[in-house]
Amino acid sequence: MSSPAVSSRDLPHPARDEIRLEGVLHALSDPMRLRIVLELAGARGELSCSDFELPVTKSTTTHHFRVLRESGVIRQVYRGTAKMNGLRRDELDELFPGLMGALLAAAARQAVRLAG
């Protein structure tokens, strides 16, 4: 059986069993990346990169998405010309039960505290 053709637009993602806790924690340690993950967690589905209004340059935004993708926190796929982003919540919850819920809740509490 031959493997399916890989498009030049396919983006590399770690398989579920390749996702490492230290990689996830590193990815979520940056305020911009945590902000992206919070938005994705609150979304009803995937969001395109252009849906995010981050106070950084486009190249820095691209870097943040790449770190999140390569750590296994998000999945990115092209749909037409848009790069769509989705949180790999189910996989992360299976690998690290309670981690994402606790991190997202703590980040939301911190955002309220800092805004007030």
Side-chain angles (χ1 to χ4, degrees), residues 44-105:
R44 294 193 181 270
E46 297 174 330
L47 296 175
S48 73
C49 291
S50 63
D51 287 330
F52 295 87
E53 294 183 24
L54 302 175
V56 295
T57 64
K58 185 175 179 180
S59 63
T60 300
T61 299
T62 299
H63 166 75
H64 287 312
F65 279 104
R66 182 177 53 78
V67 169
L68 289 167
R69 176 176 43 81
E70 291 178 349
S71 69
V73 175
I74 67 171
R75 181 165 305 280
Q76 290 186 305
V77 294
Y78 280 102
R79 304 222 191 282
T81 59
K83 193 185 292 183
M84 302 303 292
N85 304 280
L87 187 59
R88 294 176 71 175
R89 181 70 186 263
D90 290 345
E91 293 167 282
L92 294 168
D93 285 345
E94 285 177 27
L95 291 167
F96 315 112
L99 177 67
M100 290 304 292
L103 285 170
L104 294 169

Side-chain angles (χ1 to χ4, degrees), residues 34 105-116:
L34 188 56
R109 285 191 305 274
Q110 176 176 277
V112 169
R113 181 173 49 86
L114 294 177

